[in-house]
């Protein structure tokens, strides 16, 4: 997969040289190219922002440097062997975008070429999306309900979530299908706790069932833990579980977990 990132802070992306992604790049699975947006300005101050039409606080990123940068990146693809018709998928991280989820990560992992346009300030002039929306299938995405100072950190998050889905990036292919949010895998349950040696550490024991060698009982225990943790930490996900997909034992574990949460809530409100 080819990934281009245009930013006024290309140095922000140094972590993409480390660990899993660094190795994927060394192995040729990922081809990440960084670009300085200011290289496509033409004034001595290399200006990329200006005041918003209609007034209001902050600054807006000017459309011209973005368009020149995007055009140059797109043209560089056509210049590569066999790339005459190639066009990247344009991804614009913004808190006003659609939510980035595991489903979206899987969608992006199926693309051969991604182009990220992270904004600073109050955002990019909306005509840039209007210009490239159709031809580059532009997508505005948010990584969650909070506001960052810019889209760069969101690009790191998205690239990591996508890269680990690419064939050959993870050592163990099962790791991906077991993910908490993998579609179809365990109907959106959070993963339960995990343990390794030693069997007793600072007086804390590993749950004995995990040392029992009873594979079916271990699988049942893990599912119970996943159900409980989902109720506790993500009641929104737990509430959305399809009772038709659950066994009788699942429903009992869920009912008990909901009762525990409610009794804690009533203690809190009484206290
Ligand atoms: Cl993609 N950008 C910014 N600036 N803030 C965010 C975000 C993106 N996603 C959540 N908050």
């Amino acid at each position: 997969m080819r990934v281009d990132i245009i930013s006024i802070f290309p140095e922000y992306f140094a972590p993409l040289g480390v660990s899993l992604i660094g190795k994927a790049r060394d192995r040729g699975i990922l081809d990440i190219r960084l670009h300085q947006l200011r290289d496509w300005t033409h004034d001595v101050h290399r200006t990329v922002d200006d005041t918003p039409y209609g007034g209001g606080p902050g600054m807006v990123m000017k459309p011209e440097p973005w368009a020149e940068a995007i055009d140059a990146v797109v043209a560089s693809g056509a210049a590569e062997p066999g790339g005459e018709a190639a066009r990247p998928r344009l991804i614009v991280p913004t808190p006003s975008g659609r939510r980035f989820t595991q489903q979206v990560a899987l969608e992006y992992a199926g693309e051969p070429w991604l182009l990220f346009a992270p904004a600073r300030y109050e955002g990019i002039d909306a005509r840039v999306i209007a210009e490239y929306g159709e031809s580059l299938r532009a997508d505005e995405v948010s990584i969650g309900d909070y506001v960052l100072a810019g889209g760069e950190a969101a690009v790191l998050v998205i690239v990591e979530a996508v890269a680990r889905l690419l064939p050959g990036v993870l050592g163990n292919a099962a790791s991906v299908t077991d993910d908490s949010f993998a579609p179809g895998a365990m109907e959106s349950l959070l993963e339960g706790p995990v343990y390794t040696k030693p069997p007793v550490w600072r007086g804390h024991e590993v749950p004995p069932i995990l040392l029992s060698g009873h594979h079916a009982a271990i699988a049942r225990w893990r599912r119970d833990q996943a159900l409980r943790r989902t109720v506790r930490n993500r009641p929104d996900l737990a509430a959305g579980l399809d009772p038709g997909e659950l066994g009788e034992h699942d429903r009992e574990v869920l009912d008990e977990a909901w009762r525990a949460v409610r009794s804690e809530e009533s203690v809190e409100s009484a206290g």
Side-chain angles (χ1 to χ4, degrees):
M1 171 184 278
R2 176 172 168 183
V3 174
D4 288 80
I5 305 169
I6 303 167
S7 164
I8 58 172
F9 297 120
E11 66 276 20
Y12 199 103
F13 300 95
L16 297 178
V18 176
S19 185
L20 196 93
I21 295 182
K23 282 193 199 109
R25 294 174 80 174
D26 293 343
R27 292 200 211 114
I29 299 170
L30 254 186
D31 172 13
I32 299 181
R33 306 186 196 183
L34 304 173
H35 311 274
Q36 169 56 264
L37 177 66
R38 293 190 198 276
D39 290 349
W40 285 279
T41 58
H42 304 285
D43 63 312
V44 286
H45 302 294
R46 315 231 289 167
T47 310
V48 294
D49 61 336
D50 205 338
T51 53
Y53 275 123
M59 299 290 272
V60 172
M61 296 192 96
K62 295 162 61 61
E64 303 97 322
W66 277 110
E68 284 193 36
I70 292 166
D71 289 346
V73 168
V74 172
S76 78
E80 288 191 359
E84 295 79 11
R87 282 170 179 276
R89 177 84 178 263
L90 178 61
I91 302 171
V92 181
T94 162
S96 5
R98 72 164 164 145
R99 181 79 73 94
F100 179 72
T101 61
Q102 191 66 19
Q103 187 71 53
V104 179
L106 281 156
E107 183 188 324
Y108 292 169
E111 299 275 353
W113 186 9
L114 302 175
L115 168 54
F116 288 92
R120 286 265 142 180
Y121 317 113
E122 297 301 311
I124 303 173
D125 186 303
R127 292 170 292 182
V128 174
I129 285 282
E131 173 74 2
Y132 296 102
E134 292 201 0
S135 61
L136 300 184
R137 294 169 296 134
D139 212 4
E140 294 181 286
V141 287
S142 162
I143 60 165
D145 295 342
Y146 40 79
V147 179
L148 303 169
E152 284 80 5
V155 173
L156 290 177
V157 166
I158 296 168
V159 170
E160 184 159 322
V162 171
R164 66 185 283 287
L165 297 173
L166 300 178
V169 170
L170 289 189
N172 177 2
S175 319
V176 166
T177 46
D178 284 354
D179 287 344
S180 283
F181 302 103
M186 265 193 145
E187 339 83 271
S188 286
L189 292 183
L190 302 186
E191 281 169 36
V194 294
Y195 301 86
T196 185
K197 290 169 273 302
V200 183
W201 174 76
R202 294 194 177 181
H204 303 276
E205 277 184 31
V206 171
I209 184 89
L210 296 178
L211 312 178
S212 71
H214 288 106
H215 300 296
I218 290 171
R220 181 65 254 174
W221 182 86
R222 286 191 168 142
R223 185 164 172 86
D224 293 354
Q225 296 296 315
L227 290 162
R228 291 198 184 102
R229 186 179 274 194
T230 305
V231 168
R232 182 165 296 274
N233 293 347
R234 290 295 304 274
D236 57 319
L237 288 182
L241 291 171
D242 175 3
E245 298 250 298
L246 301 169
E248 192 175 342
H249 184 95
D250 290 338
R251 286 193 294 269
E252 282 166 18
V253 171
L254 276 178
D255 285 347
E256 187 199 290
W258 282 117
R259 275 197 298 275
V261 165
R262 285 194 209 103
S263 77
E264 276 174 32
E265 279 168 1
S266 67
V267 167
E268 275 164 31
S269 65

